[in-house]
C-alpha cells in the first residue's frame, strides 16, 4: 500500500480586513442594499459588445465566494461563439418545451410563471453577448489520482453564482439565470 503525504494546511493571515466606524458600516450596508435592490432579472438583451475583460473581472469576484473547505467546486465557461450559443439555445428550448408543454411542470409552478410571460422561447440565449455556464464539480482528483469528494457543492456554487450576479450588476450590466432541467446537454 502506497501512502501519499498530503501537504500541511497553509493558512493565509487576514491582513486586508478593514474595520469601519459604525455609522460608516451602516451607510455602506444601506448603499449596497439600495444598489442591489435596483437589480432586475431580464429576458431581453442588447447585442451590444461587452469587453471580455469586464466579464473576466466579474468571474474573479465570483471566485472569492466561500465554499466548503475552500475547494471552490465550480467551473465557469464563458460562451461568446454564435454557433455554440445557437446550439445551447436549441437544446435549452427542447428541454423547456418538454417542461412547459410536456407535462413535467407542476401547474402551481406554471401559474407562478404566468405573470412573467416565461415560456419555452429563449431568444436571449443568442442575443446576449455572453452566456456564462456555471458547472458544479461534485468531486475532484487528488495529486495521486484518487477521487476527492467535494462537500456543500450546491451551496458553494449558489454562493459563487450570487457573487457573479452581484458583480455583473455592479459593473452596470444585466443578467438572467436560466436553469433548464435537466441540463445534461451542457456537458457536450
Amino acid at each position: 500500500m502506497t501512502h501519499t503525504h498530503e501537504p500541511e494546511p497553509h493558512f493565509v493571515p487576514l491582513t486586508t480586513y478593514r474595520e469601519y466606524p459604525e455609522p460608516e458600516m451602516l451607510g455602506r450596508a444601506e448603499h449596497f442594499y439600495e444598489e442591489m435592490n435596483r437589480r432586475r432579472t431580464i429576458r431581453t438583451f442588447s447585442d451590444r459588445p461587452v469587453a471580455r475583460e469586464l466579464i473576466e473581472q466579474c468571474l474573479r469576484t465570483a471566485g472569492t465566494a466561500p465554499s466548503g473547505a475552500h475547494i471552490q467546486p465550480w467551473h465557469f465557461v464563458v460562451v461568446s461563439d454564435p454557433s455554440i450559443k445557437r446550439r445551447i439555445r436549441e437544446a435549452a428550448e427542447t428541454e423547456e418545451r418538454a417542461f412547459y408543454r410536456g407535462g413535467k411542470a407542476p401547474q402551481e409552478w406554471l401559474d407562478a410563471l404566468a405573470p412573467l410571460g416565461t415560456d419555452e422561447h429563449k431568444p436571449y440565449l443568442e442575443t446576449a453577448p455572453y452566456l456564462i455556464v456555471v458547472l458544479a464539480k461534485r468531486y475532484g482528483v487528488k495529486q495521486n489520482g484518487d477521487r476527492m469528494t467535494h462537500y456543500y457543492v450546491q451551496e458553494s456554487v449558489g454562493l459563487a453564482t450570487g457573487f457573479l450576479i452581484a458583480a455583473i450588476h455592479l459593473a452596470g450590466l444585466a443578467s438572467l439565470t436560466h436553469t433548464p432541467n435537466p441540463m445534461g446537454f451542457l456537458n457536450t
Side-chain angles (χ1 to χ4, degrees), residues 13-44:
L14 180 59
T15 59
T16 58
Y17 173 75
R18 291 186 201 151
E19 187 170 341
Y20 300 99
E22 194 168 314
E24 187 176 348
M25 286 182 192
L26 181 58
R28 293 168 67 87
E30 288 171 347
H31 175 75
F32 186 70
Y33 164 75
E34 289 166 6
E35 186 63 35
M36 294 311 297
N37 194 40
R38 290 187 324 99
R39 190 207 61 78
R40 294 293 179 270
T41 296
I42 65 165
R43 288 172 177 79
T44 303

Side-chain angles (χ1 to χ4, degrees), residues 75-90:
H75 188 80
F76 297 101
V77 179
V78 178
V79 179
S80 60
D81 181 281
S83 65
I84 296 173
K85 291 192 310 183
R86 175 176 302 262
R87 287 176 42 209
I88 289 172
R89 176 187 178 182
E90 290 168 353

Side-chain angles (χ1 to χ4, degrees), residues 19-148:
E19 187 170 341
Y20 300 99
E22 194 168 314
E24 187 176 348
M25 286 182 192
L26 181 58
R28 293 168 67 87
E30 288 171 347
H31 175 75
F32 186 70
Y33 164 75
E34 289 166 6
E35 186 63 35
M36 294 311 297
N37 194 40
R38 290 187 324 99
R39 190 207 61 78
R40 294 293 179 270
T41 296
I42 65 165
R43 288 172 177 79
T44 303
F45 288 85
S46 165
D47 60 358
R48 182 184 78 224
V50 172
R52 173 105 179 187
E53 181 181 21
L54 177 58
I55 299 304
E56 289 173 359
Q57 186 60 44
C58 291
L59 289 167
R60 281 193 276 283
T61 299
T64 69
S67 62
H70 194 61
I71 292 175
Q72 301 175 319
W74 52 72
H75 188 80
F76 297 101
V77 179
V78 178
V79 179
S80 60
D81 181 281
S83 65
I84 296 173
K85 291 192 310 183
R86 175 176 302 262
R87 287 176 42 209
I88 289 172
R89 176 187 178 182
E90 290 168 353
E93 286 181 342
T94 296
E95 291 298 338
E96 295 286 286
R97 252 188 308 286
F99 179 76
Y100 285 99
R101 299 175 190 260
K104 288 184 176 181
Q107 189 58 49
E108 183 178 19
W109 179 241
L110 293 174
D111 293 344
L113 291 176
L116 301 175
T118 301
D119 60 19
E120 70 272 16
H121 303 288
K122 310 296 179 194
Y124 49 79
L125 292 173
E126 287 186 78
T127 307
Y130 296 100
L131 303 180
I132 302 173
V133 180
V134 183
L135 301 168
K137 297 190 306 187
R138 304 247 175 255
Y139 66 91
V141 180
K142 296 179 184 180
Q143 288 181 334
N144 67 0
D146 289 348
R147 188 173 169 155
M148 176 177 69

Side-chain angles (χ1 to χ4, degrees), residues 142-181:
K142 296 179 184 180
Q143 288 181 334
N144 67 0
D146 289 348
R147 188 173 169 155
M148 176 177 69
T149 301
H150 289 169
Y151 299 96
Y152 302 106
V153 173
Q154 286 182 295
E155 296 85 350
S156 299
V157 172
L159 286 164
T161 302
F163 275 40
L164 176 61
I165 291 167
I168 287 170
H169 173 73
L170 291 173
L173 298 174
S175 66
L176 165 70
T177 55
H178 175 71
T179 55
N181 188 9

